[in-house]
Amino acid sequence: MQRVLTPAWWLADGGRRVGAIALVAGIVIAGPLLDGAGESFWMMALTRALILGVLAVATNVAWGVTGIFTLGQAVFFGVGAYVVGLLATREDVVALESLAGAALGAGLLCGLVVGAFLFFGRRRVGMLYVGLVTLALSYALERLASVWGEIGAGNGITGIPLPTLLGTEIEPGISFFWVAVVTLLVVLGLAWAVMRSQFGMVMRAIRDDDERAEFLGYRRPIVQLVVFAATGGVGALAGGLYALEEGFVSPTFLGVSLSTQVLIYVLLGGRDSLVGPLVGVLLLEVGGQRVQEELPTEWPIIVGAVLLLVILFLPNGLTQLGRRRRRAAAPRPETAAEVSGGDPRGE
Amino acid sequence: MAILEASEIVKRFGPVTALSGAGLQVEPTTIHGLIGPNGSGKSTLLHVIAGRTLPDGGRVVLDGADITRAKPAQRARAGMSIKFQLARVYHEQTVADNLLLALQVRDGIPSLVLSRTRRRHQERVRRLLDDFGLTHVRDHPAGELAHGEQQWLEIAMAMATEPKLLLLDEPTGGMNRHERERTGELIRAAATTCAVVIVEHDLDFIRDLCDRITVLHQGTLVASGTPVEIERDERVAEVYLTRV
Ligand SMILES: Nc1ncnc2c1ncn2[C@@H]1O[C@H](COP(=O)(O)OP(=O)(O)OP(=O)(O)O)[C@@H](O)[C@H]1O
Ligand SMILES: [Mg+2]
């Protein structure tokens, strides 16, 4: 604890720590400021972005930290949204606690089922395999939801009321912003703890060389399953909150477009960075809000171009800007080993 | 009883037969050299033993248990460790964390999430760093290490969990004479508690270090015996030593 009070701790890592704390503090202050200034449009945009931020942070833990290349993270988001939408409109469940719990549970369950299929029973689990299966799932579920009459088909579910929290009704306006902020802070806190834990080391080991990890004795499928299910649960929680905030659910919540959008947030902000995904979400969803409205057709092109520039010049995302360049280009051992091992006659 | 018995191993890669009936028998706490010309199947045999590839025929028995088709993680947990021909350490993680990764492998996920065992392993990390002369770089990313140091780090990782069997594929590749000697000492120290299989091209190094030597040629076993027996063996001389 004492170290936290020294300037060195704050300035470590090229100011990224200060930047991250400032960002989070800025978000917390921005809500009431916007509300006070009567800017409820921007406050709601921020709220939406924060909920998408929860999804992005979870996706980053799965993909950026653990290397599970999921192209279908919207599946969890959509499942959470539908579960909440159906419970709220058909079963008259109004307690946020119950709705959030149901979304989380549904996401966990989905993660376990899909993850078991993805990670077990194969000796090698390639990036492409995981990407394609999750992408196909996202596509298929969006199609399914848009023709399935029981859950509203193409219209989705509408008229979802605002929930109650601990028995009291949540008012429209700033209240839901606080729900989003608290959820985001809790998720960020958990992600932070996990990323710097001993388990975080294992996650990165599996991302960087899963075969090596297996030869050390790590059971890769179990680690991947745990991460996939946990981040799926959080993704579903985000979807559930989004449904409550918007008051409706649409099949697009499950779809490929949202799935790729989440990857863009993560790429833009920085993989394996705690607040990076949040930076990505805020830039595109709040910063780009006006542009998005003025130039709806050009918007995807602009996003694509920005993304391309980031990938080319800042492969670790925008948050890399503050990162010290500590990873020296170490000589790959191949050459040395091959040269010396290449001659059977020894010396 | 032998700690490792690999027998009649057959392994084909498409049209190439890398191993055709090769075998290896290793006694506890011995250092066993595996030699042979380039492409004779040494690495492939090691990979079959470690579970990196499954053989098309034959059996691998570790300490009495048939592990021919076991997954790599199962073998590691049963007491087998491997250092690959090309050093494979985690470049972005620190040297100390690489060792911790190797040490904490049997800890449950909940205690890893809560970082409950970091302290418990600290003493062992410190000793390994000390033994392998890596203390001065403990907090550096492993990718910054010199090539020889990376090899040592990987050997240290392989030895961290006190395995029954340590497989080393060219542990001195790319090392200078002094580093080789140091590596020899480290391997000898390791062999007081476990059996070591070591693939090497440097025959002087092997002769001095090993209790037994097995010679492969074109995927078959040519001879197996003490260094003296191997030096006298005519078949070995034919396929291998004549080329010196
Ligand atoms: N994955 C693979 N795919 C195809 N062929 C392979 C593969 N691995 C090995 N081989 C072939 O199998 C044979 C044995 O290779 P191996 O690497 O086991 O030899 P080695 O004795 O370790 O040689 P070196 O001394 O060069 O390391 C070689 O002919 C090699 O080309
Ligand atoms: Mg080899």
Side-chain angles (χ1 to χ4, degrees):
Chain A
M1 243 7 241
Q2 272 170 342
R3 284 193 313 139
V4 179
L5 299 175
T6 65
W9 188 86
W10 288 90
L11 294 175
D13 223 2
R16 288 203 316 150
R17 202 163 261 162
V18 179
I21 293 168
L23 177 76
V24 173
I27 290 170
V28 174
I29 298 167
L33 281 185
L34 289 171
D35 190 48
E39 296 278 2
S40 65
F41 170 83
W42 287 107
M43 193 200 63
M44 280 163 65
L46 182 62
T47 305
R48 268 196 303 276
L50 297 188
I51 297 174
L52 288 174
V54 171
L55 176 66
V57 169
T59 306
N60 183 39
V61 170
W63 177 42
V65 182
T66 319
I68 302 169
F69 186 52
T70 154
L71 277 168
Q73 212 59 10
V75 167
F76 298 110
F77 190 86
V79 164
Y82 270 100
V83 164
V84 164
L86 290 172
L87 284 177
T89 55
R90 310 260 166 99
E91 309 292 328
D92 297 323
V93 179
V94 288
L96 180 60
E97 305 88 295
S98 319
L99 292 170
L104 195 67
L108 272 173
L109 197 67
C110 275
L112 286 175
V113 172
V114 178
F117 173 75
L118 278 175
F119 306 125
F120 283 84
R122 308 185 128 242
R123 281 190 95 79
R124 319 263 333 121
V125 175
M127 280 251 289
L128 199 62
Y129 173 74
V130 173
L132 288 178
V133 172
T134 48
L135 182 74
L137 192 65
S138 183
Y139 181 77
L141 286 182
E142 182 181 10
R143 298 274 93 198
L144 179 71
S146 58
V147 295
W148 188 359
E150 284 285 296
I151 58 169
N155 297 327
I157 301 169
T158 50
I160 302 172
L162 272 175
T164 63
L165 180 60
L166 304 172
T168 49
E169 250 170 74
I170 295 181
E171 305 284 318
I174 187 85
S175 314
F176 215 83
F177 168 82
W178 291 119
V179 170
V181 164
V182 169
T183 310
L184 179 67
L185 289 181
V186 169
V187 168
L188 274 180
L190 288 175
W192 179 74
V194 168
M195 282 164 73
R196 68 202 301 272
S197 73
Q198 287 173 267
F199 191 62
M201 292 167 51
V202 178
M203 287 155 65
R204 294 190 180 91
I206 285 175
R207 173 194 67 194
D208 293 340
D209 189 344
D210 58 339
E211 194 187 33
R212 218 302 154 237
E214 288 186 279
F215 280 98
L216 286 175
Y218 286 106
R219 290 183 279 224
R220 171 192 53 75
I222 295 180
V223 174
Q224 287 174 324
L225 183 69
V226 166
V227 172
F228 194 68
T231 56
V234 173
L237 175 65
L241 290 182
Y242 201 85
L244 292 171
E245 198 268 340
E246 295 287 282
F248 72 91
V249 182
S250 123
T252 54
F253 286 19
L254 289 157
V256 174
S257 165
L258 178 60
S259 288
T260 41
Q261 207 174 310
V262 176
L263 292 193
I264 293 176
Y265 301 145
V266 176
L267 263 180
L268 197 60
R271 298 174 59 190
D272 199 358
S273 138
L274 181 66
V275 297
L278 212 51
V279 172
V281 172
L282 290 173
L283 276 180
L284 292 182
E285 297 308 317
V286 181
Q289 178 77 41
R290 275 275 175 265
V291 192
Q292 210 166 335
E293 273 169 18
E294 303 283 323
L295 306 166
T297 28
E298 289 85 351
W299 176 244
I301 303 172
I302 299 171
V303 173
V306 171
L307 189 63
L308 204 62
L309 290 175
V310 168
I311 292 173
L312 286 177
F313 298 108
L314 288 169
N316 290 326
L318 292 171
T319 45
Q320 176 190 267
L321 284 169
R323 188 183 301 197
R324 255 183 312 174
R325 299 212 53 128
R326 31 154 242 196
R327 207 178 315 145
R332 284 295 300 156
E334 270 95 312
T335 28
E338 231 95 271
V339 168
S340 94
D343 183 0
R345 284 151 291 188
E347 324 214 72
Chain B
M1 194 183 70
I3 186 85
L4 174 80
E5 223 177 315
S7 43
E8 320 253 323
I9 304 292
V10 177
K11 180 69 199 177
R12 296 181 207 95
F13 294 107
V16 181
T17 301
L19 296 171
S20 42
L24 184 65
Q25 184 166 340
V26 182
E27 304 300 321
T29 68
T30 56
I31 305 182
H32 199 116
L34 184 58
I35 63 173
N38 276 130
S40 54
K42 307 180 294 294
S43 293
T44 306
L45 182 54
L46 232 48
H47 291 163
V48 166
I49 293 168
R52 191 179 189 196
T53 47
L54 292 180
D56 299 310
R59 250 161 70 87
V60 182
V61 177
L62 176 70
D63 207 9
D66 189 325
I67 55 158
T68 313
R69 310 202 78 79
K71 296 209 171 73
Q74 288 173 303
R75 299 181 203 225
R77 283 164 181 260
M80 182 187 280
S81 272
I82 184 166
K83 181 218 152 299
F84 291 102
Q85 183 162 355
L86 311 171
R88 276 166 81 172
V89 296
Y90 290 107
H91 284 198
E92 291 186 21
Q93 307 206 25
T94 66
V95 171
D97 280 353
N98 268 277
L99 291 171
L100 183 55
L101 265 173
L103 283 167
Q104 67 179 19
V105 63
R106 287 189 182 81
D107 303 343
I109 290 180
S111 34
L112 292 180
V113 170
L114 298 172
S115 290
R116 274 210 302 246
T117 62
R118 199 189 291 259
R119 187 162 298 169
R120 171 149 59 78
H121 294 304
Q122 237 18 264
E123 179 52 29
R124 181 103 178 99
V125 168
R126 203 190 55 72
R127 265 226 319 284
L128 284 164
L129 288 169
D130 200 39
D131 288 349
F132 284 83
L134 294 168
T135 306
H136 64 292
V137 286
R138 61 164 293 151
D139 295 320
H140 290 231
E144 286 178 5
L145 297 190
H147 177 65
E149 288 175 326
Q150 287 196 10
Q151 301 260 53
W152 282 337
L153 176 57
E154 201 183 11
I155 299 173
M157 286 166 75
M159 281 174 52
T161 43
E162 297 177 342
K164 295 176 193 161
L165 176 69
L166 181 59
L167 307 169
L168 302 172
D169 200 348
E170 308 207 12
T172 68
M175 286 187 185
N176 64 33
R177 178 171 209 89
H178 172 72
E179 289 170 329
R180 267 168 214 241
E181 278 168 17
R182 178 82 192 116
T183 307
E185 287 166 26
L186 292 169
I187 293 171
R188 229 178 248 118
T192 56
T193 55
C194 73
V196 182
V197 176
I198 168 168
V199 171
E200 259 298 341
H201 283 291
D202 181 343
L203 293 182
D204 292 330
F205 183 81
I206 282 283
R207 196 185 299 117
D208 292 345
L209 192 63
C210 294
D211 306 302
R212 292 187 76 80
I213 294 176
T214 293
V215 186
L216 290 187
H217 180 50
Q218 291 177 355
T220 54
L221 186 138
V222 176
S224 191
T226 63
V228 177
E229 286 166 1
I230 292 298
E231 281 204 313
R232 292 209 192 107
D233 194 298
E234 279 173 20
R235 289 160 304 170
V236 175
E238 231 168 79
V239 303
Y240 194 76
L241 297 179
T242 48
R243 298 173 61 187
V244 172

